[in-house]
Amino acid sequence: MSPVLSSSKSAGFPIRRRAPFSSASLFPVCPDHSPNTRTSERAPLHGPGSIAPDTPNKGGSDCPPSAIPASCGDSLRNAQDFRKDAVLAVPGAARNTAAPLVGIARLASISPAAPTRRTSGERPEYFLLPVKSILNKCESGRVPFDWTINPYRGCEFACKYCYARYTHEFMELDGLAFEKKIFVKKDAAVLLTREIATKYSFAAGREGAPEHICIGTATDPYQPAEKEYSVTRACLEELARHHGLSVSITTKSNLVTRDIDVLQEIAKHSRVYVDITITTLRPRLARLLEPRAPRPDLRLAAIKKLSEAGIAVGALASPLIPGITDREGELEALAQAAKEAGAQWIASGVLFLMPSSAKQFLPFLKEKFPRLTRQYDSWYSRNAYAPEPYRQKIAARLARIKSHLGFSFRPWDQLRHPVSPSPQLSLAL
C-alpha cells in the first residue's frame, strides 16, 4: 500500500461559516499518519479526539437520512434553503471570532492535499481529512444496520442520482463538489481498533445478535481513491482481527475482489455480506447515469468471483429510476443475470431525490430525457419520494421476480440472530 504523506497545502476552496462557538478542543488536528496503515499497537481509549466509551456518536452525515419531509417542494427547487444562514468566507481572510468554523466544516477547511500518482486533468482533488471517529452510529429506523463506516467523503463515480451529495453540505461545500473533492479519512484503522473496543456491542439483540456495521453508505468504499490510499482494506484488516462481528459492504466496483483474502478471513469468525449495485445492464445507459463507475459486466463478474470464493454476495438494483430503468423486462433481465453470476439475493428501491441530488439530477433529466420532465415535476416537486402506488407496484414486481428465480435468502433477516461460524465458506464446497 502506498504511503500517504503530509502536505502543508490547505484545501484552497471556498468555505462557509456557521455556529457561534469554537470547536478547537472538540476537533483537534490528528497526528500525521498514513490513513491506510493499521498499526499493531492499540489506540488509546482516551485522548485528543477520542470518544469515551459511554458517549454515543449520533453519526449524522455518514448515515442515510432518517426521514424526508413529506412536503419539501421549495427546498427541491432551491437547495440553498439547507443553509440560509451561511455566509461565504474568503480563504485566508481574518477569522470572524463570533462565527468560527466548527465540526467537519472546520476539518475540511484545514485538510491538506493528499499526494496522488494520478496525472489526468479529469481526476478529482484529494485531501487528507483528520477525523475523530470512523465508526458512526446510525439511528435511522429505515435501515437495518447500527453502525456505518465510510472510508472517504465524496465519491468519484459521479452518479447523477446520488443521494449522498448532501454529505458535502455538512462541510459547507456544494453538492457538485461531492465528485470533485474527495476526502481521505486519516488513521481510520487505528480509530476502528479503539471504537470496536469501546462502542461496538457483540451481543446487542435479545438472542445475542451482534450490532451490524455497513461499509459504504455515503460513499463507495472501492472508488478509484481506494487503489492509492487503501483505507477500506485497512479497515477490513482490523475487522478480521475480531470474532463475532456482523458486517456488510455496498459497492459498484469490481475492485472489491482485490480483498477476497481478507473477506474470507472475516467470514471465518464473523458474518459478512457484499452487495454489488447494478442499476442497469445497458452499458451506454450506465455510463450516462454513473459516468465513472465500472461497467455492468464487470460488476456481474465481481459477483461471480466473490461467490466462487465463498463470500455471501447479492445484487442491489437501486435506485430503480422511473421511466429510465423500469421498462418491462429490464429488472427481470438484471435479476436473471445476477442469479446466473451467483448472487444469493436481490433487492431494489425506487429513486428518491433529496434537494442536493435533485439539484444535479433534474437538469440532467431535462437535457437527456426531456420527455420525463413533466412526470418528475409532478412526482418529485413536493416530495422526495415517488408516489406510493408506483412504489408498491415495483415492490410487487420484485417479489414476483424473486419468487420466479428462487431468491429465497434474506440476508437482513439473519441480522437478528447470533453469528454462526464460517457460514459463507460452505458456499464454495
Side-chain angles (χ1 to χ4, degrees):
M1 293 181 283
S2 61
V4 179
L5 305 177
S6 295
S7 170
S8 59
K9 183 179 178 181
S10 63
F13 46 82
I15 45 81
R16 302 175 189 265
R17 301 181 185 277
R18 183 186 293 171
F21 59 87
S22 172
S23 64
S25 62
L26 295 177
F27 297 92
V29 178
C30 294
D32 184 19
H33 297 303
S34 166
N36 62 321
T37 302
R38 180 180 64 77
T39 66
S40 59
E41 299 179 359
R42 293 279 178 179
L45 296 183
H46 300 284
S50 68
I51 302 177
D54 57 349
T55 304
N57 180 3
K58 299 298 183 182
S61 62
D62 277 347
C63 182
S66 57
I68 302 296
S71 178
C72 53
D74 292 339
S75 294
L76 284 171
R77 296 181 186 279
N78 183 5
Q80 295 300 321
D81 286 356
F82 266 147
R83 42 187 188 273
K84 291 178 180 178
D85 300 326
V87 179
L88 281 173
V90 178
R95 183 177 300 279
N96 179 357
T97 56
L101 287 171
V102 299
I104 196 67
R106 174 181 176 268
L107 295 181
S109 71
I110 63 174
S111 295
T116 176
R117 296 184 297 269
R118 299 179 64 183
T119 58
S120 169
E122 297 182 356
R123 68 171 176 81
E125 296 178 87
Y126 295 121
F127 303 96
L128 294 176
L129 182 68
V131 294
K132 67 171 185 176
S133 178
I134 191 67
L135 192 62
N136 302 287
K137 184 66 174 177
C138 185
E139 297 179 343
S140 170
R142 300 187 306 109
V143 293
F145 42 82
D146 306 284
W147 300 94
T148 67
I149 294 176
N150 286 291
Y152 306 94
R153 273 185 173 266
C155 182
E156 188 179 347
F157 287 162
C159 301
K160 299 298 184 182
Y161 50 76
C162 182
Y163 82 87
R165 291 180 183 275
Y166 81 98
T167 61
H168 259 42
E169 292 179 348
F170 283 82
M171 301 188 293
E172 305 300 350
L173 294 172
D174 186 85
L176 184 60
F178 185 77
E179 65 203 51
K180 298 182 180 297
K181 298 183 186 296
I182 311 297
F183 292 81
V184 183
K185 293 186 179 180
K186 295 180 64 176
D187 302 319
V190 175
L191 288 168
L192 187 56
T193 299
R194 179 180 67 215
E195 294 182 324
I196 289 293
T198 61
K199 296 163 64 173
Y200 183 81
S201 174
F202 287 85
R206 287 180 298 176
E207 299 179 9
E211 293 179 320
H212 187 73
I213 301 170
C214 187
I215 303 175
T217 59
T219 185
D220 197 300
Y222 287 101
Q223 61 180 288
E226 175 64 14
K227 294 180 181 179
E228 293 198 74
Y229 306 111
S230 295
V231 184
T232 301
R233 183 173 177 94
C235 290
L236 291 177
E237 288 175 347
E238 174 56 34
L239 295 177
R241 298 173 60 190
H242 301 275
H243 293 196
L245 298 171
S246 181
V247 181
S248 64
I249 299 171
T250 301
T251 181
K252 288 185 174 78
S253 178
N254 57 326
L255 181 60
V256 64
T257 60
R258 178 203 65 182
D259 293 339
I260 281 177
D261 59 333
V262 69
L263 290 173
Q264 288 176 325
E265 192 63 28
I266 294 172
K268 289 179 181 178
H269 308 289
S270 297
R271 178 189 295 128
V272 61
Y273 301 132
V274 178
D275 281 295
I276 303 293
T277 301
I278 308 174
T279 49
T280 178
L281 294 179
R282 292 182 277 166
R284 291 180 62 185
L285 178 59
R287 184 62 61 224
L288 197 63
L289 295 169
E290 306 154 348
R292 290 185 284 278
R295 300 189 315 265
D297 62 303
L298 295 177
R299 302 181 216 179
L300 287 169
I303 290 177
K304 181 176 177 62
K305 193 169 182 179
L306 288 165
S307 178
E308 291 175 345
I311 304 300
V313 59
L316 188 59
S318 287
L320 188 138
I321 307 176
I324 299 178
T325 63
D326 65 345
R327 68 183 186 181
E328 189 66 29
E330 183 160 3
L331 184 58
E332 288 78 2
L334 194 159
Q336 179 70 46
K339 181 73 173 181
E340 292 174 356
Q344 292 179 256
W345 64 87
I346 187 169
S348 184
V350 177
L351 173 74
F352 74 97
L353 290 176
M354 294 186 66
S356 55
S357 52
K359 182 180 176 182
Q360 306 298 327
F361 183 79
L362 295 181
F364 161 78
L365 186 82
K366 185 176 181 179
E367 177 187 356
K368 300 297 183 181
F369 301 93
R371 62 182 175 82
L372 296 175
T373 53
R374 180 175 297 181
Q375 176 185 338
Y376 272 71
D377 184 60
S378 173
W379 282 16
Y380 290 101
S381 63
R382 295 190 177 277
N383 198 318
Y385 292 99
E388 179 67 18
Y390 177 83
R391 287 185 282 142
Q392 290 180 350
K393 179 181 177 181
I394 294 300
R397 179 179 172 187
L398 182 63
R400 290 193 299 270
I401 292 171
K402 292 164 70 173
S403 176
H404 175 70
L405 294 176
F407 280 113
S408 58
F409 183 64
R410 296 172 57 87
W412 301 122
D413 288 347
Q414 306 301 312
L415 303 188
R416 296 192 293 267
H417 305 291
V419 172
S420 300
S422 307
Q424 288 85 4
L425 297 184
S426 62
L427 299 176
L429 300 179

